[in-house]
Amino acid sequence: MKIFSLVVIFMLFSSENLRFPAVDGRFYPGEEKELSKEVKEYLKKAPSIKTEENVLAVVSPHAGYTFSGPTAGRAFKALEGKNYKKVILMGTSHYSGSSGALLGDFDYFQMPGFKIPVERKIIKELSKKDGFQIQNNAHTREHSLEVQLPFLSEVLKDFKIIPMVIGGSTTPEAARKIARGLLEFLDDETIVVISTDFTHYGPNYGYIPFRDEVPRKMKDLDLGGWELIFPQSSEIFNAYLEGTEATICGEKALMVLAEILPKNSKKYFVHYTTSGEVIGDWENAVGYLAGYFTGKWDKKIEYPEEKQHKGILNDKEKEYLIKLSRATLKAHILNEFIDFAKILKENPMTEGITGISGVFVTLREDGELRGCIGSIEGREPLYLGVIHNSINAASRDPRFSPVRAKEFSKIKIEISVLTPLKKISNYKDIILGKNGVVLQKWGRSAVFLPQVATETGWNLDEFLSNLSLKAGLPADAYKEGATFEVFEAIVFEE
């Protein structure tokens, strides 16, 4: 009661706008000397990192120090002997599902025995930019930034922080907006610190993609994600997350990091461990990774614009997309992640791969349809559509049960890349075998790909009757009152 009263009195009479600790005494020691001693011990035990290069960013975990302190010490070892005046401290929001960067506009982050000043001028400037907003209440309970401060205070002197947590709904496009806003504040005196734990495995986290070889598969899963943090390409990292459903809690901050990294940057993996290794319990386990990036900041990054697909694919692009679909299925069905990460890393990034396009993925087993799902209109880069629809065809086609592990080797893949939709006034203008068709009537719709007519041998009336039935309409519904859109497809298979 006495301690509480002193805190209240201090708050009433202090003119400073302070962010007080939320997890002191739980995630780390709540007493100054004990905290300093523990952090110094983690740094002392961490292997030496000698680099003449400029360190741009470090990645550090944010769990309780008992679990992740040694790994965090290895991450911050890269900053010893360096001199940075600004720290862009970026973490996850465990309490907000909003989109964008949620800034902390405080005078100081108060810690046991010390306080870290906030660079409020930059906070104010950032808050005027698209993708940023001041939201102090997003920081009140949030620990992801707080646990990094004792390490920063040991390795750096005379610095200010720009604290932000990235909302859970942040997309790659939103991450790019945040990156654009940050570029002008990046210089040789600036370091970016990304606070993130990696995969959260087990029933407590609602994520049990595998039950065997948990230590190996967790590590494969997390290192696969680490390998895909490329400069100016949060989409590839995000594609891996969506393909594996990996529960990396700071993934949005890592997406922003990917977008601000210059092309000349180098990536260094330092250490990986899990809570399972620390306490010997693998029923619920969390991964912790330490790494850093070096290079020279580039304030003039030009981000490519998304382009519509031109309807042309060469043989190498077709081969890549088939391999990507197969690797996606392997990760999704067999929980083997190395091939998926490897294929994504080899992404050729040609217009044929990255163009916005509708795409269907069709799965067959012993010649029989086993699943087919796709998107008629292009809403995302082609390679992302292949990833999403490979998973959907295997698990979310309502006509079939999910593909099982024992079926994986029997599955054959067909991909159909679609041209933009074109309305026609008369269904008799449909060219069987060339046109795919979208039929709409009475609020119902259905689609057949061009190859359906070829595979079935149907004439036009049979084709449209079956399409009407697929839409839940009478077989002759196509004859009056229906609207039609047609498209063509580039079709290729394993």
mmCIF file with all atom_site columns, all heavy atoms in Angstrom, residues 389-411:
data_model
loop_
_atom_site.group_PDB
_atom_site.id
_atom_site.type_symbol
_atom_site.label_atom_id
_atom_site.label_alt_id
_atom_site.label_comp_id
_atom_site.label_asym_id
_atom_site.label_entity_id
_atom_site.label_seq_id
_atom_site.pdbx_PDB_ins_code
_atom_site.Cartn_x
_atom_site.Cartn_y
_atom_site.Cartn_z
_atom_site.occupancy
_atom_site.B_iso_or_equiv
_atom_site.pdbx_formal_charge
_atom_site.auth_seq_id
_atom_site.auth_comp_id
_atom_site.auth_asym_id
_atom_site.auth_atom_id
_atom_site.pdbx_PDB_model_num
ATOM 1   N N   . ASN A 1 389 ? -4.598  -20.558 -53.249 1.00 0.00 ? 389 ASN A N   1
ATOM 2   C CA  . ASN A 1 389 ? -5.547  -21.488 -53.845 1.00 0.00 ? 389 ASN A CA  1
ATOM 3   C C   . ASN A 1 389 ? -5.065  -22.932 -53.834 1.00 0.00 ? 389 ASN A C   1
ATOM 4   O O   . ASN A 1 389 ? -5.889  -23.847 -53.914 1.00 0.00 ? 389 ASN A O   1
ATOM 5   C CB  . ASN A 1 389 ? -5.904  -21.021 -55.248 1.00 0.00 ? 389 ASN A CB  1
ATOM 6   C CG  . ASN A 1 389 ? -6.749  -19.762 -55.214 1.00 0.00 ? 389 ASN A CG  1
ATOM 7   O OD1 . ASN A 1 389 ? -7.748  -19.694 -54.505 1.00 0.00 ? 389 ASN A OD1 1
ATOM 8   N ND2 . ASN A 1 389 ? -6.342  -18.740 -55.949 1.00 0.00 ? 389 ASN A ND2 1
ATOM 9   N N   . SER A 1 390 ? -3.756  -23.142 -53.693 1.00 0.00 ? 390 SER A N   1
ATOM 10  C CA  . SER A 1 390 ? -3.274  -24.512 -53.467 1.00 0.00 ? 390 SER A CA  1
ATOM 11  C C   . SER A 1 390 ? -3.773  -25.011 -52.114 1.00 0.00 ? 390 SER A C   1
ATOM 12  O O   . SER A 1 390 ? -4.251  -26.153 -51.993 1.00 0.00 ? 390 SER A O   1
ATOM 13  C CB  . SER A 1 390 ? -1.738  -24.547 -53.512 1.00 0.00 ? 390 SER A CB  1
ATOM 14  O OG  . SER A 1 390 ? -1.255  -24.209 -54.796 1.00 0.00 ? 390 SER A OG  1
ATOM 15  N N   . ILE A 1 391 ? -3.674  -24.151 -51.100 1.00 0.00 ? 391 ILE A N   1
ATOM 16  C CA  . ILE A 1 391 ? -4.181  -24.505 -49.766 1.00 0.00 ? 391 ILE A CA  1
ATOM 17  C C   . ILE A 1 391 ? -5.693  -24.673 -49.790 1.00 0.00 ? 391 ILE A C   1
ATOM 18  O O   . ILE A 1 391 ? -6.238  -25.644 -49.252 1.00 0.00 ? 391 ILE A O   1
ATOM 19  C CB  . ILE A 1 391 ? -3.767  -23.435 -48.741 1.00 0.00 ? 391 ILE A CB  1
ATOM 20  C CG1 . ILE A 1 391 ? -2.250  -23.413 -48.573 1.00 0.00 ? 391 ILE A CG1 1
ATOM 21  C CG2 . ILE A 1 391 ? -4.449  -23.677 -47.395 1.00 0.00 ? 391 ILE A CG2 1
ATOM 22  C CD1 . ILE A 1 391 ? -1.735  -22.255 -47.763 1.00 0.00 ? 391 ILE A CD1 1
ATOM 23  N N   . ASN A 1 392 ? -6.378  -23.735 -50.450 1.00 0.00 ? 392 ASN A N   1
ATOM 24  C CA  . ASN A 1 392 ? -7.838  -23.806 -50.499 1.00 0.00 ? 392 ASN A CA  1
ATOM 25  C C   . ASN A 1 392 ? -8.325  -25.057 -51.217 1.00 0.00 ? 392 ASN A C   1
ATOM 26  O O   . ASN A 1 392 ? -9.278  -25.712 -50.785 1.00 0.00 ? 392 ASN A O   1
ATOM 27  C CB  . ASN A 1 392 ? -8.396  -22.558 -51.193 1.00 0.00 ? 392 ASN A CB  1
ATOM 28  C CG  . ASN A 1 392 ? -8.210  -21.305 -50.367 1.00 0.00 ? 392 ASN A CG  1
ATOM 29  O OD1 . ASN A 1 392 ? -8.072  -21.375 -49.146 1.00 0.00 ? 392 ASN A OD1 1
ATOM 30  N ND2 . ASN A 1 392 ? -8.197  -20.156 -51.019 1.00 0.00 ? 392 ASN A ND2 1
ATOM 31  N N   . ALA A 1 393 ? -7.690  -25.392 -52.328 1.00 0.00 ? 393 ALA A N   1
ATOM 32  C CA  . ALA A 1 393 ? -8.110  -26.574 -53.083 1.00 0.00 ? 393 ALA A CA  1
ATOM 33  C C   . ALA A 1 393 ? -7.902  -27.848 -52.277 1.00 0.00 ? 393 ALA A C   1
ATOM 34  O O   . ALA A 1 393 ? -8.684  -28.803 -52.379 1.00 0.00 ? 393 ALA A O   1
ATOM 35  C CB  . ALA A 1 393 ? -7.341  -26.657 -54.398 1.00 0.00 ? 393 ALA A CB  1
ATOM 36  N N   . ALA A 1 394 ? -6.856  -27.862 -51.447 1.00 0.00 ? 394 ALA A N   1
ATOM 37  C CA  . ALA A 1 394 ? -6.550  -29.063 -50.654 1.00 0.00 ? 394 ALA A CA  1
ATOM 38  C C   . ALA A 1 394 ? -7.411  -29.183 -49.411 1.00 0.00 ? 394 ALA A C   1
ATOM 39  O O   . ALA A 1 394 ? -7.637  -30.307 -48.926 1.00 0.00 ? 394 ALA A O   1
ATOM 40  C CB  . ALA A 1 394 ? -5.074  -29.048 -50.252 1.00 0.00 ? 394 ALA A CB  1
ATOM 41  N N   . SER A 1 395 ? -7.903  -28.071 -48.895 1.00 0.00 ? 395 SER A N   1
ATOM 42  C CA  . SER A 1 395 ? -8.562  -28.115 -47.579 1.00 0.00 ? 395 SER A CA  1
ATOM 43  C C   . SER A 1 395 ? -9.924  -27.461 -47.509 1.00 0.00 ? 395 SER A C   1
ATOM 44  O O   . SER A 1 395 ? -10.666 -27.715 -46.550 1.00 0.00 ? 395 SER A O   1
ATOM 45  C CB  . SER A 1 395 ? -7.654  -27.437 -46.533 1.00 0.00 ? 395 SER A CB  1
ATOM 46  O OG  . SER A 1 395 ? -6.432  -28.109 -46.416 1.00 0.00 ? 395 SER A OG  1
ATOM 47  N N   . ARG A 1 396 ? -10.287 -26.626 -48.480 1.00 0.00 ? 396 ARG A N   1
ATOM 48  C CA  . ARG A 1 396 ? -11.484 -25.804 -48.309 1.00 0.00 ? 396 ARG A CA  1
ATOM 49  C C   . ARG A 1 396 ? -12.493 -25.913 -49.445 1.00 0.00 ? 396 ARG A C   1
ATOM 50  O O   . ARG A 1 396 ? -13.415 -25.105 -49.541 1.00 0.00 ? 396 ARG A O   1
ATOM 51  C CB  . ARG A 1 396 ? -11.066 -24.346 -48.092 1.00 0.00 ? 396 ARG A CB  1
ATOM 52  C CG  . ARG A 1 396 ? -10.318 -24.176 -46.774 1.00 0.00 ? 396 ARG A CG  1
ATOM 53  C CD  . ARG A 1 396 ? -9.523  -22.916 -46.706 1.00 0.00 ? 396 ARG A CD  1
ATOM 54  N NE  . ARG A 1 396 ? -8.640  -22.937 -45.526 1.00 0.00 ? 396 ARG A NE  1
ATOM 55  C CZ  . ARG A 1 396 ? -7.526  -22.239 -45.401 1.00 0.00 ? 396 ARG A CZ  1
ATOM 56  N NH1 . ARG A 1 396 ? -7.140  -21.447 -46.386 1.00 0.00 ? 396 ARG A NH1 1
ATOM 57  N NH2 . ARG A 1 396 ? -6.790  -22.317 -44.318 1.00 0.00 ? 396 ARG A NH2 1
ATOM 58  N N   . ASP A 1 397 ? -12.308 -26.888 -50.309 1.00 0.00 ? 397 ASP A N   1
ATOM 59  C CA  . ASP A 1 397 ? -13.325 -27.138 -51.323 1.00 0.00 ? 397 ASP A CA  1
ATOM 60  C C   . ASP A 1 397 ? -14.467 -27.886 -50.647 1.00 0.00 ? 397 ASP A C   1
ATOM 61  O O   . ASP A 1 397 ? -14.287 -29.019 -50.187 1.00 0.00 ? 397 ASP A O   1
ATOM 62  C CB  . ASP A 1 397 ? -12.742 -27.970 -52.470 1.00 0.00 ? 397 ASP A CB  1
ATOM 63  C CG  . ASP A 1 397 ? -13.701 -28.078 -53.655 1.00 0.00 ? 397 ASP A CG  1
ATOM 64  O OD1 . ASP A 1 397 ? -14.933 -28.075 -53.421 1.00 0.00 ? 397 ASP A OD1 1
ATOM 65  O OD2 . ASP A 1 397 ? -13.223 -28.172 -54.793 1.00 0.00 ? 397 ASP A OD2 1
ATOM 66  N N   . PRO A 1 398 ? -15.668 -27.282 -50.555 1.00 0.00 ? 398 PRO A N   1
ATOM 67  C CA  . PRO A 1 398 ? -16.756 -27.908 -49.795 1.00 0.00 ? 398 PRO A CA  1
ATOM 68  C C   . PRO A 1 398 ? -17.233 -29.237 -50.368 1.00 0.00 ? 398 PRO A C   1
ATOM 69  O O   . PRO A 1 398 ? -17.940 -29.986 -49.692 1.00 0.00 ? 398 PRO A O   1
ATOM 70  C CB  . PRO A 1 398 ? -17.862 -26.846 -49.846 1.00 0.00 ? 398 PRO A CB  1
ATOM 71  C CG  . PRO A 1 398 ? -17.553 -26.007 -51.038 1.00 0.00 ? 398 PRO A CG  1
ATOM 72  C CD  . PRO A 1 398 ? -16.058 -25.988 -51.140 1.00 0.00 ? 398 PRO A CD  1
ATOM 73  N N   . ARG A 1 399 ? -16.828 -29.538 -51.583 1.00 0.00 ? 399 ARG A N   1
ATOM 74  C CA  . ARG A 1 399 ? -17.259 -30.798 -52.193 1.00 0.00 ? 399 ARG A CA  1
ATOM 75  C C   . ARG A 1 399 ? -16.432 -31.994 -51.736 1.00 0.00 ? 399 ARG A C   1
ATOM 76  O O   . ARG A 1 399 ? -16.818 -33.147 -51.966 1.00 0.00 ? 399 ARG A O   1
ATOM 77  C CB  . ARG A 1 399 ? -17.167 -30.689 -53.727 1.00 0.00 ? 399 ARG A CB  1
ATOM 78  C CG  . ARG A 1 399 ? -18.048 -29.605 -54.326 1.00 0.00 ? 399 ARG A CG  1
ATOM 79  C CD  . ARG A 1 399 ? -17.712 -29.371 -55.784 1.00 0.00 ? 399 ARG A CD  1
ATOM 80  N NE  . ARG A 1 399 ? -16.367 -28.810 -55.948 1.00 0.00 ? 399 ARG A NE  1
ATOM 81  C CZ  . ARG A 1 399 ? -15.811 -28.542 -57.137 1.00 0.00 ? 399 ARG A CZ  1
ATOM 82  N NH1 . ARG A 1 399 ? -16.489 -28.808 -58.250 1.00 0.00 ? 399 ARG A NH1 1
ATOM 83  N NH2 . ARG A 1 399 ? -14.601 -28.025 -57.208 1.00 0.00 ? 399 ARG A NH2 1
ATOM 84  N N   . PHE A 1 400 ? -15.286 -31.706 -51.098 1.00 0.00 ? 400 PHE A N   1
ATOM 85  C CA  . PHE A 1 400 ? -14.359 -32.782 -50.755 1.00 0.00 ? 400 PHE A CA  1
ATOM 86  C C   . PHE A 1 400 ? -13.859 -32.627 -49.320 1.00 0.00 ? 400 PHE A C   1
ATOM 87  O O   . PHE A 1 400 ? -13.809 -31.525 -48.784 1.00 0.00 ? 400 PHE A O   1
ATOM 88  C CB  . PHE A 1 400 ? -13.145 -32.777 -51.692 1.00 0.00 ? 400 PHE A CB  1
ATOM 89  C CG  . PHE A 1 400 ? -13.490 -32.889 -53.148 1.00 0.00 ? 400 PHE A CG  1
ATOM 90  C CD1 . PHE A 1 400 ? -13.606 -31.754 -53.943 1.00 0.00 ? 400 PHE A CD1 1
ATOM 91  C CD2 . PHE A 1 400 ? -13.720 -34.129 -53.730 1.00 0.00 ? 400 PHE A CD2 1
ATOM 92  C CE1 . PHE A 1 400 ? -13.924 -31.847 -55.288 1.00 0.00 ? 400 PHE A CE1 1
ATOM 93  C CE2 . PHE A 1 400 ? -14.039 -34.240 -55.082 1.00 0.00 ? 400 PHE A CE2 1
ATOM 94  C CZ  . PHE A 1 400 ? -14.142 -33.097 -55.862 1.00 0.00 ? 400 PHE A CZ  1
ATOM 95  N N   . SER A 1 401 ? -13.456 -33.733 -48.731 1.00 0.00 ? 401 SER A N   1
ATOM 96  C CA  . SER A 1 401 ? -12.761 -33.687 -47.446 1.00 0.00 ? 401 SER A CA  1
ATOM 97  C C   . SER A 1 401 ? -11.328 -33.218 -47.693 1.00 0.00 ? 401 SER A C   1
ATOM 98  O O   . SER A 1 401 ? -10.815 -33.330 -48.814 1.00 0.00 ? 401 SER A O   1
ATOM 99  C CB  . SER A 1 401 ? -12.752 -35.070 -46.792 1.00 0.00 ? 401 SER A CB  1
ATOM 100 O OG  . SER A 1 401 ? -12.077 -36.005 -47.631 1.00 0.00 ? 401 SER A OG  1
ATOM 101 N N   . PRO A 1 402 ? -10.654 -32.677 -46.674 1.00 0.00 ? 402 PRO A N   1
ATOM 102 C CA  . PRO A 1 402 ? -9.271  -32.221 -46.868 1.00 0.00 ? 402 PRO A CA  1
ATOM 103 C C   . PRO A 1 402 ? -8.344  -33.350 -47.327 1.00 0.00 ? 402 PRO A C   1
ATOM 104 O O   . PRO A 1 402 ? -8.509  -34.501 -46.936 1.00 0.00 ? 402 PRO A O   1
ATOM 105 C CB  . PRO A 1 402 ? -8.876  -31.708 -45.471 1.00 0.00 ? 402 PRO A CB  1
ATOM 106 C CG  . PRO A 1 402 ? -10.175 -31.346 -44.830 1.00 0.00 ? 402 PRO A CG  1
ATOM 107 C CD  . PRO A 1 402 ? -11.164 -32.340 -45.331 1.00 0.00 ? 402 PRO A CD  1
ATOM 108 N N   . VAL A 1 403 ? -7.401  -32.981 -48.172 1.00 0.00 ? 403 VAL A N   1
ATOM 109 C CA  . VAL A 1 403 ? -6.409  -33.951 -48.645 1.00 0.00 ? 403 VAL A CA  1
ATOM 110 C C   . VAL A 1 403 ? -5.564  -34.417 -47.460 1.00 0.00 ? 403 VAL A C   1
ATOM 111 O O   . VAL A 1 403 ? -5.081  -33.607 -46.666 1.00 0.00 ? 403 VAL A O   1
ATOM 112 C CB  . VAL A 1 403 ? -5.506  -33.326 -49.727 1.00 0.00 ? 403 VAL A CB  1
ATOM 113 C CG1 . VAL A 1 403 ? -4.397  -34.300 -50.123 1.00 0.00 ? 403 VAL A CG1 1
ATOM 114 C CG2 . VAL A 1 403 ? -6.339  -32.928 -50.946 1.00 0.00 ? 403 VAL A CG2 1
ATOM 115 N N   . ARG A 1 404 ? -5.376  -35.732 -47.340 1.00 0.00 ? 404 ARG A N   1
ATOM 116 C CA  . ARG A 1 404 ? -4.628  -36.309 -46.229 1.00 0.00 ? 404 ARG A CA  1
ATOM 117 C C   . ARG A 1 404 ? -3.188  -36.588 -46.632 1.00 0.00 ? 404 ARG A C   1
ATOM 118 O O   . ARG A 1 404 ? -2.855  -36.650 -47.818 1.00 0.00 ? 404 ARG A O   1
ATOM 119 C CB  . ARG A 1 404 ? -5.304  -37.600 -45.772 1.00 0.00 ? 404 ARG A CB  1
ATOM 120 C CG  . ARG A 1 404 ? -6.708  -37.397 -45.189 1.00 0.00 ? 404 ARG A CG  1
ATOM 121 C CD  . ARG A 1 404 ? -7.480  -38.692 -45.130 1.00 0.00 ? 404 ARG A CD  1
ATOM 122 N NE  . ARG A 1 404 ? -7.748  -39.203 -46.479 1.00 0.00 ? 404 ARG A NE  1
ATOM 123 C CZ  . ARG A 1 404 ? -8.403  -40.328 -46.731 1.00 0.00 ? 404 ARG A CZ  1
ATOM 124 N NH1 . ARG A 1 404 ? -8.827  -41.084 -45.728 1.00 0.00 ? 404 ARG A NH1 1
ATOM 125 N NH2 . ARG A 1 404 ? -8.606  -40.714 -47.977 1.00 0.00 ? 404 ARG A NH2 1
ATOM 126 N N   . ALA A 1 405 ? -2.355  -36.758 -45.618 1.00 0.00 ? 405 ALA A N   1
ATOM 127 C CA  . ALA A 1 405 ? -0.922  -36.948 -45.856 1.00 0.00 ? 405 ALA A CA  1
ATOM 128 C C   . ALA A 1 405 ? -0.658  -38.138 -46.774 1.00 0.00 ? 405 ALA A C   1
ATOM 129 O O   . ALA A 1 405 ? 0.218   -38.076 -47.646 1.00 0.00 ? 405 ALA A O   1
ATOM 130 C CB  . ALA A 1 405 ? -0.195  -37.121 -44.519 1.00 0.00 ? 405 ALA A CB  1
ATOM 131 N N   . LYS A 1 406 ? -1.412  -39.217 -46.614 1.00 0.00 ? 406 LYS A N   1
ATOM 132 C CA  . LYS A 1 406 ? -1.150  -40.422 -47.408 1.00 0.00 ? 406 LYS A CA  1
ATOM 133 C C   . LYS A 1 406 ? -1.523  -40.240 -48.882 1.00 0.00 ? 406 LYS A C   1
ATOM 134 O O   . LYS A 1 406 ? -1.122  -41.039 -49.737 1.00 0.00 ? 406 LYS A O   1
ATOM 135 C CB  . LYS A 1 406 ? -1.890  -41.620 -46.822 1.00 0.00 ? 406 LYS A CB  1
ATOM 136 C CG  . LYS A 1 406 ? -3.403  -41.536 -46.871 1.00 0.00 ? 406 LYS A CG  1
ATOM 137 C CD  . LYS A 1 406 ? -4.035  -42.774 -46.240 1.00 0.00 ? 406 LYS A CD  1
ATOM 138 C CE  . LYS A 1 406 ? -5.561  -42.750 -46.320 1.00 0.00 ? 406 LYS A CE  1
ATOM 139 N NZ  . LYS A 1 406 ? -6.143  -43.951 -45.692 1.00 0.00 ? 406 LYS A NZ  1
ATOM 140 N N   . GLU A 1 407 ? -2.279  -39.183 -49.186 1.00 0.00 ? 407 GLU A N   1
ATOM 141 C CA  . GLU A 1 407 ? -2.663  -38.902 -50.568 1.00 0.00 ? 407 GLU A CA  1
ATOM 142 C C   . GLU A 1 407 ? -1.668  -37.997 -51.286 1.00 0.00 ? 407 GLU A C   1
ATOM 143 O O   . GLU A 1 407 ? -1.731  -37.866 -52.507 1.00 0.00 ? 407 GLU A O   1
ATOM 144 C CB  . GLU A 1 407 ? -4.033  -38.230 -50.599 1.00 0.00 ? 407 GLU A CB  1
ATOM 145 C CG  . GLU A 1 407 ? -5.182  -39.034 -50.034 1.00 0.00 ? 407 GLU A CG  1
ATOM 146 C CD  . GLU A 1 407 ? -6.462  -38.228 -50.031 1.00 0.00 ? 407 GLU A CD  1
ATOM 147 O OE1 . GLU A 1 407 ? -7.173  -38.219 -51.050 1.00 0.00 ? 407 GLU A OE1 1
ATOM 148 O OE2 . GLU A 1 407 ? -6.737  -37.562 -49.004 1.00 0.00 ? 407 GLU A OE2 1
ATOM 149 N N   . PHE A 1 408 ? -0.781  -37.372 -50.535 1.00 0.00 ? 408 PHE A N   1
ATOM 150 C CA  . PHE A 1 408 ? 0.055   -36.299 -51.085 1.00 0.00 ? 408 PHE A CA  1
ATOM 151 C C   . PHE A 1 408 ? 0.793   -36.720 -52.350 1.00 0.00 ? 408 PHE A C   1
ATOM 152 O O   . PHE A 1 408 ? 0.795   -36.002 -53.358 1.00 0.00 ? 408 PHE A O   1
ATOM 153 C CB  . PHE A 1 408 ? 1.056   -35.820 -50.034 1.00 0.00 ? 408 PHE A CB  1
ATOM 154 C CG  . PHE A 1 408 ? 2.032   -34.795 -50.534 1.00 0.00 ? 408 PHE A CG  1
ATOM 155 C CD1 . PHE A 1 408 ? 1.628   -33.488 -50.744 1.00 0.00 ? 408 PHE A CD1 1
ATOM 156 C CD2 . PHE A 1 408 ? 3.341   -35.140 -50.823 1.00 0.00 ? 408 PHE A CD2 1
ATOM 157 C CE1 . PHE A 1 408 ? 2.517   -32.541 -51.229 1.00 0.00 ? 408 PHE A CE1 1
ATOM 158 C CE2 . PHE A 1 408 ? 4.234   -34.195 -51.306 1.00 0.00 ? 408 PHE A CE2 1
ATOM 159 C CZ  . PHE A 1 408 ? 3.818   -32.890 -51.507 1.00 0.00 ? 408 PHE A CZ  1
ATOM 160 N N   . SER A 1 409 ? 1.412   -37.883 -52.339 1.00 0.00 ? 409 SER A N   1
ATOM 161 C CA  . SER A 1 409 ? 2.224   -38.324 -53.485 1.00 0.00 ? 409 SER A CA  1
ATOM 162 C C   . SER A 1 409 ? 1.375   -38.644 -54.715 1.00 0.00 ? 409 SER A C   1
ATOM 163 O O   . SER A 1 409 ? 1.892   -38.691 -55.835 1.00 0.00 ? 409 SER A O   1
ATOM 164 C CB  . SER A 1 409 ? 3.062   -39.541 -53.098 1.00 0.00 ? 409 SER A CB  1
ATOM 165 O OG  . SER A 1 409 ? 2.216   -40.626 -52.731 1.00 0.00 ? 409 SER A OG  1
ATOM 166 N N   . LYS A 1 410 ? 0.064   -38.848 -54.523 1.00 0.00 ? 410 LYS A N   1
ATOM 167 C CA  . LYS A 1 410 ? -0.816  -39.195 -55.643 1.00 0.00 ? 410 LYS A CA  1
ATOM 168 C C   . LYS A 1 410 ? -1.430  -37.962 -56.300 1.00 0.00 ? 410 LYS A C   1
ATOM 169 O O   . LYS A 1 410 ? -1.990  -38.050 -57.384 1.00 0.00 ? 410 LYS A O   1
ATOM 170 C CB  . LYS A 1 410 ? -1.946  -40.103 -55.162 1.00 0.00 ? 410 LYS A CB  1
ATOM 171 C CG  . LYS A 1 410 ? -1.481  -41.426 -54.567 1.00 0.00 ? 410 LYS A CG  1
ATOM 172 C CD  . LYS A 1 410 ? -2.682  -42.226 -54.067 1.00 0.00 ? 410 LYS A CD  1
ATOM 173 C CE  . LYS A 1 410 ? -2.256  -43.516 -53.394 1.00 0.00 ? 410 LYS A CE  1
ATOM 174 N NZ  . LYS A 1 410 ? -3.431  -44.268 -52.880 1.00 0.00 ? 410 LYS A NZ  1
ATOM 175 N N   . ILE A 1 411 ? -1.334  -36.823 -55.632 1.00 0.00 ? 411 ILE A N   1
ATOM 176 C CA  . ILE A 1 411 ? -1.974  -35.605 -56.116 1.00 0.00 ? 411 ILE A CA  1
ATOM 177 C C   . ILE A 1 411 ? -1.209  -35.028 -57.314 1.00 0.00 ? 411 ILE A C   1
ATOM 178 O O   . ILE A 1 411 ? 0.019   -34.898 -57.282 1.00 0.00 ? 411 ILE A O   1
ATOM 179 C CB  . ILE A 1 411 ? -2.058  -34.554 -54.992 1.00 0.00 ? 411 ILE A CB  1
ATOM 180 C CG1 . ILE A 1 411 ? -2.995  -35.020 -53.883 1.00 0.00 ? 411 ILE A CG1 1
ATOM 181 C CG2 . ILE A 1 411 ? -2.504  -33.204 -55.547 1.00 0.00 ? 411 ILE A CG2 1
ATOM 182 C CD1 . ILE A 1 411 ? -4.441  -35.144 -54.297 1.00 0.00 ? 411 ILE A CD1 1
#
